[in-house]
Amino acid sequence: MLARLSTQAVKQNAAVAGQARRAISVQSLLHGSPEAKQEGDVQIQQHSRLVARGKYVHGFEVHKVKPSAVDDYKKAAEAYYTAIKEDPELHVKLTGSWEAVVGEQDTFYHILEYENYSGYDKTTQKIRNSEHINTYQKLIPYLTGRSQQLCQEFAFFPTIPPRTEGGVFELRTYQLHPGTLLQWEHTWRKGIEARRKFVAPVGAWFSQVGRLHQVHHMWQYPDLQTRKETREKAWQLDGWSETVSKTAEYSMLMDAIILEPLPFSMLK
């Protein structure tokens, strides 16, 4: 009798243990175990450190403007962005300001450079407590929408300093599949080194705050015909087609927007 009870107890304990293991296994598969989540968070942070030039943060400010108010907006934007870039108490640089001419019309892009996130915090706080905020408020009536994104530069290609070369700019934006930033950067960097014999990027960034899993790179050409000829030359390079194919696999959406610099832009 005691033997039978002991045997039943062993079987019951084994069954409970098996159910517990299955529950843990299912929980891990469906939700991710705490250990897996922690490891994933660390990997994401490591990816950012591996690909980023960590000193600077770039703010991408995008304004959608009422078609009837474009000229008034340009005047207000020049007053605001010129004032903040010339204020010695603000630790911010204006990389450039552009108007989209191919892509979403009546859309304007402003890229600002801050020294790390602490520089962004200090600058935005000072703007809120200064006359600059009143200048910025004069922009608002002309807008139909606005967005902001904080990005870091890819380490292999820092943003170029101010220059005036004329022509047009192309901003290419890729919406990546989550978790593919490191692969995208590795593939694109290998391909771009060869392409730089024809043209070098103005800058290359990946998002950190705002719309995530996005990468941007910007190019400058004398005109759209030169852009076409330059891109055709790139296809003749060994490995370029593979670069395009692989980076496309990591992307869900791609945009190519043609921009013209505004008169006060530091890059034009």
Side-chain angles (χ1 to χ4, degrees), residues 35-87:
E35 293 80 4
K37 290 181 179 179
Q38 183 178 4
E39 182 180 355
D41 291 341
V42 170
Q43 287 179 345
I44 290 171
Q45 295 168 7
Q46 288 175 340
H47 288 181
S48 295
R49 287 198 296 267
L50 285 171
V51 303
R53 179 175 179 244
K55 185 176 181 180
Y56 298 103
V57 171
H58 284 77
F60 279 55
E61 299 184 2
V62 183
H63 294 165
K64 297 183 184 299
V65 178
K66 298 175 183 177
S68 60
V70 166
D71 289 339
D72 291 331
Y73 167 81
K74 288 180 180 179
K75 294 176 183 177
E78 181 171 7
Y80 173 69
Y81 288 105
T82 299
I84 64 170
K85 77 178 178 64
E86 293 179 352
D87 188 336

Side-chain angles (χ1 to χ4, degrees), residues 191 237-244:
L237 296 172
D238 290 339
W240 181 247
S241 60
E242 182 181 1
T243 296
V244 174

Side-chain angles (χ1 to χ4, degrees), residues 7 9 17 25 46 53 69 82 106 118 126 135 137 141 167 221 245 254:
T7 302
S25 177
Q46 288 175 340
R53 179 175 179 244
T82 299
D106 309 312
S118 61
K126 286 184 178 181
T135 308
Q137 290 297 330
Y221 302 96
S245 176
M254 294 179 280

Side-chain angles (χ1 to χ4, degrees), residues 256-267:
I257 302 169
I258 302 301
L259 307 168
E260 287 185 353
L262 297 177
F264 60 90
S265 178
M266 302 304 291
L267 283 172

